[in-house]
Structures are given as C-alpha cells and as structure tokens.
Amino acid sequence: MIPQISPIELKQWLDEGMQFVLLDVRTDEEVDLCALPGHTHIPMNLIPMRYNELPDDVPIVVYCHHGIRSLHTAMYLAEAGFEQLYNLQGGIDAWSVLVDSEMPRY
C-alpha cells in the first residue's frame, strides 16, 4: 500500500525544507504547462530505464495530473526496492485547487 500525501501536507514539507524527491511522471508536454517547484522529471514510460537515477535514502513523492499514473509508478518503484514512497493525492490538479490557485489547470 502506497501512502497518500495531501497537497496541504506536501506544502508543509516544502515550507519546512524537508529532504525528499518530488518526482513528476507526466509527459514533457504536461510539464511544459505547469510543474511543482524543485521537481525531478522522469516520464512514467521511462521509469523502468531511469529509476536508478533516484536516491533510495530519502522519501520520494510521486505526482502526475490526478494521481493515478503516479500511484502506479510508486507501486512499480516499491517492487524495485524503494521504501519511502508517497503518492500526491489528486495530483497537480489538486495542488492547483488547494494550494496554488495561480497554477494553470488543464
């Protein structure tokens, strides 16, 4: 089971300067529209080839548009041996509604 983190909780982690990786698994085109600050971008389809770029000693918060692709990616990473995984509940869309109304929605 992959724990969910709400946009509000993620904002608190960012504000507190907590050490973690913010992994954006959306397409290049989606990232061009909007993205969270300080993210690492690896499109979902490239995760199997590039997950070795991710640290395994800090939490990883995975996000996408609505939270479905990121959940599947987090489950894949868990199978690959990563332990501190979180899925951004509602994805970047929920972030734009609950945290940053200036962020474009699509």
Side-chain angles (χ1 to χ4, degrees), residues 7 22-23 38 47 49 51-52 55 57 60 66 72 77 82 96 105-106:
L22 189 53
L23 177 61
I47 290 291
M49 292 164 280
Y51 71 82
N52 60 337
D57 58 345
I60 298 174
H66 287 116
H72 288 285
L77 291 172
F82 290 85
S96 65
R105 292 182 71 196
Y106 63 96

Side-chain angles (χ1 to χ4, degrees), residues 19-104:
Q19 287 281 317
F20 66 95
V21 171
L22 189 53
L23 177 61
D24 188 333
V25 298
R26 298 174 301 144
T27 65
D28 293 343
E29 294 78 18
E30 288 176 290
V31 172
D32 287 345
L33 291 171
C34 60
L36 296 179
H39 73 278
T40 296
H41 178 227
I42 303 175
M44 181 181 182
N45 65 321
L46 298 180
I47 290 291
M49 292 164 280
R50 294 183 54 196
Y51 71 82
N52 60 337
E53 298 173 23
L54 299 168
D56 57 9
D57 58 345
V58 295
I60 298 174
V61 177
V62 189
Y63 80 93
C64 63
H65 189 200
H66 287 116
I68 305 301
R69 286 175 287 171
S70 54
L71 179 59
H72 288 285
T73 301
M75 290 189 296
Y76 178 87
L77 291 172
E79 288 287 318
F82 290 85
E83 295 177 356
Q84 300 179 73
L85 295 162
Y86 298 86
N87 184 48
L88 179 59
Q89 193 171 24
I92 198 166
D93 191 62
W95 175 273
S96 65
V97 170
L98 299 170
V99 176
D100 182 3
S101 61
E102 300 292 309
M103 180 162 291

